[in-house]
């Protein structure tokens, strides 16, 4: 008898074209972060996007193969040859400059339809006006910056959804170490008093080492690993994100905005998160060792219950020109925290150096006058 055909698993869902027409006039709508709604570009009609529907899904590591793929709408991509960022945008938009570094050396590409779909996101909530206010406040806080920078008028702000992975896990740690306890003994020591050597008894610290061991259990929730091509130190300067604000992913939130494709895949991200967990457990176990100090700490970890999410978190890229140079700063789309570079006023630097020099010279003159007296 011929073999019966075996049922095949359905292929993971991929990107498909999704339109969000206005219910009033049928024109294109985009996500409006100021009002938390879809807004019609033609008649201004606002359409709410229900946040309470759906479930924020967390998956086991082995379930990655069954996760949906793509972002659920038709997109193109642009890869920056300068910083390597790969950012998706709608088919009706163009990408002439990199949203992160401002480079014009960008190459149009097809969006990766097979990339894992985000399970949830934090919607862009800061409006362009709020972003510009955060930028101007940041400029006022900078030292050695040109005063006219505060008067910058032409600011180009663009909202971007940055990819992250989050990981949950439980950890059981067994540790052993030598616990050190301080004690003091009196020892003779030669000292000079009024030009004459004398023997004095002084207290000298010693350490008594004793073996110690223990165990602990910890849980980690939503350990964030940035999957962007951005420099890690730049993302750290933007501060953290509050993952309790996550909502189930809906493609409507991306309407009219950009989304970066992840450059760190799930396996690589878990390796980073695991290294963070191991280092944190070592620190926690070190805190459990009794006594005043310790040595030879050994920690054996058993990690279980690993679950992950692919999420998108909001960042604004704000570019401005100052004396023919283009500068890019990033603004945390949840907190308004700003990170980036700004031009330096060398006149202010020179003035500070001059003032410091004058203070030093005045101090030397006072010291010299006192010595002569």
């Amino acid at each position: 008898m011929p073999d019966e055909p075996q049922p095949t698993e359905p292929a993971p869902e991929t990107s498909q074209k999704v339109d969000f027409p206005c219910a009033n006039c049928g024109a294109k709508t985009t996500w409006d972060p100021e009002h938390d709604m879809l807004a019609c570009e033609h008649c201004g009609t606002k359409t709410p996007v229900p946040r309470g529907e759906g479930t924020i899904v967390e998956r086991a590591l082995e379930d990655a193969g069954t996760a949906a793929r793509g972002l659920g709408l038709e997109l193109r991509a642009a890869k920056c040859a300068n910083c390597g960022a790969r950012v998706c945008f709608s088919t009706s938009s163009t990408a002439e400059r990199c949203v992160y570094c401002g480079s014009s050396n960008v190459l149009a590409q097809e969006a990766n339809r097979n990339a894992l779909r985000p399970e949830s996101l934090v919607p862009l909530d800061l409006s362009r006006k709020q972003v510009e206010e955060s930028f101007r406040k940041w400029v006022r806080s900078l030292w050695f910056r040109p005063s006219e920078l505060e008067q910058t008028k032409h600011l180009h702000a663009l909202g971007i959804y940055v990819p992250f992975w989050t990981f949950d896990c439980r950890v059981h740690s067994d540790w052993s170490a030598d616990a050190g306890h301080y004690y003091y003994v009196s020892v003779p020591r030669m000292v000079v008093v009024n030009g004459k050597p004398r023997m004095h008894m002084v207290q000298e610290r010693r350490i008594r080492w004793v073996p110690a061991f223990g165990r602990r259990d910890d849980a980690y929730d939503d350990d964030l690993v940035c999957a962007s091509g951005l420099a890690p130190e730049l993302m750290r300067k933007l501060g953290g994100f509050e993952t309790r604000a996550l909502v189930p992913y809906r493609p409507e939130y991306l309407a009219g905005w950009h989304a970066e494709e992840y450059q760190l895949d799930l396996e690589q991200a878990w390796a980073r998160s695991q290294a963070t967990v191991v280092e944190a457990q070592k620190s926690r176990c070190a805190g459990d060792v009794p006594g005043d100090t310790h040595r030879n700490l050994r920690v054996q970890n058993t990690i279980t219950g690993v679950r992950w999410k692919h999420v998108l978190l909001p960042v604004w890229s704000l570019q401005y020109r100052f004396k023919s140079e283009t500068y890019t700063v990033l603004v945390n789309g949840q907190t308004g925290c700003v990170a980036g570079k700004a031009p330096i006023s060398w006149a202010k630097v020179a003035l500070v150096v001059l003032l410091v020099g004058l203070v030093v010279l005045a101090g030397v003159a006072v010291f010299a006058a006192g010595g002569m007296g």
Side-chain angles (χ1 to χ4, degrees):
M1 239 181 118
D3 294 337
E4 294 184 2
Q6 298 296 317
T8 58
E9 294 184 0
E13 186 179 352
T14 57
S15 298
Q16 55 185 330
K17 185 174 178 60
V18 176
D19 294 318
F20 307 108
C22 174
N24 183 48
C25 68
K28 178 183 176 182
T29 61
T30 59
W31 174 253
D32 181 353
E34 186 173 3
H35 297 94
D36 285 354
M37 294 182 181
L38 286 173
C40 178
E41 297 179 344
H42 179 68
C43 70
T45 298
K46 303 290 192 298
T47 305
V49 177
R51 294 195 180 187
E53 296 182 1
T55 303
I56 296 177
V57 179
E58 292 182 339
R59 300 179 181 275
L61 284 176
E62 60 271 19
D63 291 343
T66 61
R69 305 281 168 160
L71 292 172
L73 65 165
E74 191 70 21
L75 296 171
R76 292 186 296 168
K79 182 174 182 179
C80 177
N82 184 47
C83 70
R86 182 179 164 89
V87 178
C88 295
F89 52 93
S90 68
T91 53
S92 61
S93 303
T94 58
E96 298 178 353
R97 289 184 175 274
C98 175
V99 297
Y100 288 130
C101 69
S103 170
S104 59
N105 193 6
V106 292
L107 178 65
Q109 298 180 336
E110 287 294 323
N112 184 1
R113 295 170 177 262
N114 199 43
L116 289 170
R117 177 173 298 183
E119 305 287 1
S120 50
L121 57 74
V122 172
L124 276 165
D125 279 334
L126 292 185
S127 66
R128 279 189 170 85
K129 182 179 179 181
Q130 290 173 307
V131 170
E132 291 185 8
E133 289 174 353
S134 295
F135 167 76
R136 298 192 188 284
K137 182 179 179 181
W138 173 72
V139 168
R140 289 193 295 269
S141 70
L142 299 175
W143 289 18
F144 306 129
R145 304 302 177 189
S147 300
E148 57 268 35
L149 189 61
E150 296 184 30
Q151 308 304 320
T152 303
K153 295 181 179 179
H154 302 292
L155 303 174
H156 179 62
L158 184 66
I160 311 163
Y161 286 101
V162 179
F164 282 77
W165 304 96
T166 79
F167 294 94
D168 302 344
C169 65
R170 295 186 299 275
V171 188
H172 174 81
S173 301
D174 294 295
W175 60 265
S176 64
D178 295 331
H181 300 266
Y182 295 153
Y183 67 99
Y184 295 85
V185 297
S186 296
V187 295
R189 183 167 296 169
M190 188 69 70
V191 295
V192 177
V193 178
N194 296 326
K196 298 180 179 179
R198 291 185 180 180
M199 190 68 68
H200 273 235
M201 300 300 291
V202 298
Q203 294 291 302
E204 188 173 273
R205 191 178 74 181
R206 305 282 176 86
I207 302 176
R208 180 182 297 108
W209 296 103
V210 296
F213 58 90
R215 60 182 58 184
R216 62 177 298 130
D217 292 281
D218 294 281
Y220 291 81
D221 180 56
D222 282 352
D223 177 46
L224 278 175
V225 177
C226 182
S228 168
L230 289 173
E233 60 272 14
L234 186 60
M235 290 306 299
R236 282 195 291 270
K237 289 179 181 178
L238 278 180
F241 292 86
E242 180 51 71
T243 56
R244 286 182 293 182
L246 286 168
V247 299
Y249 174 79
R250 296 177 64 105
E252 289 94 328
Y253 293 120
L254 271 61
W257 303 97
H258 289 54
E260 184 185 0
E261 291 184 351
Y262 59 79
Q263 298 191 40
L264 193 73
D265 63 25
L266 177 60
E267 184 178 355
Q268 294 169 319
W270 167 235
R272 287 195 185 182
S273 181
Q274 186 174 2
T276 300
V277 168
V278 168
E279 190 63 30
Q281 287 303 109
K282 183 177 181 180
S283 177
R284 291 178 178 185
C285 290
D288 290 346
V289 180
D292 304 299
T293 186
H294 68 271
R295 67 183 183 186
N296 299 330
L297 175 65
R298 295 179 176 85
V299 181
Q300 182 175 341
N301 298 308
T302 302
I303 301 178
T304 59
V306 181
R307 302 191 70 80
W308 62 272
K309 296 190 301 290
H310 174 32
V311 303
L312 297 178
L313 300 178
V315 170
W316 282 87
S317 172
L318 192 150
Q319 296 180 354
Y320 65 96
R321 291 184 63 79
F322 184 80
K323 292 185 177 180
S324 74
E325 291 288 333
T326 298
Y327 296 86
T328 301
V329 298
L330 300 181
V331 182
N332 187 313
Q334 192 177 40
T335 66
C337 182
V338 182
K341 295 181 179 179
I344 295 176
S345 172
W346 293 109
K348 289 184 178 181
V349 173
L351 179 60
V352 170
V353 171
L354 177 61
L355 290 174
V356 171
L358 291 175
V359 170
V360 171
L361 288 175
V364 170
V366 170
F367 179 79
M372 293 177 62

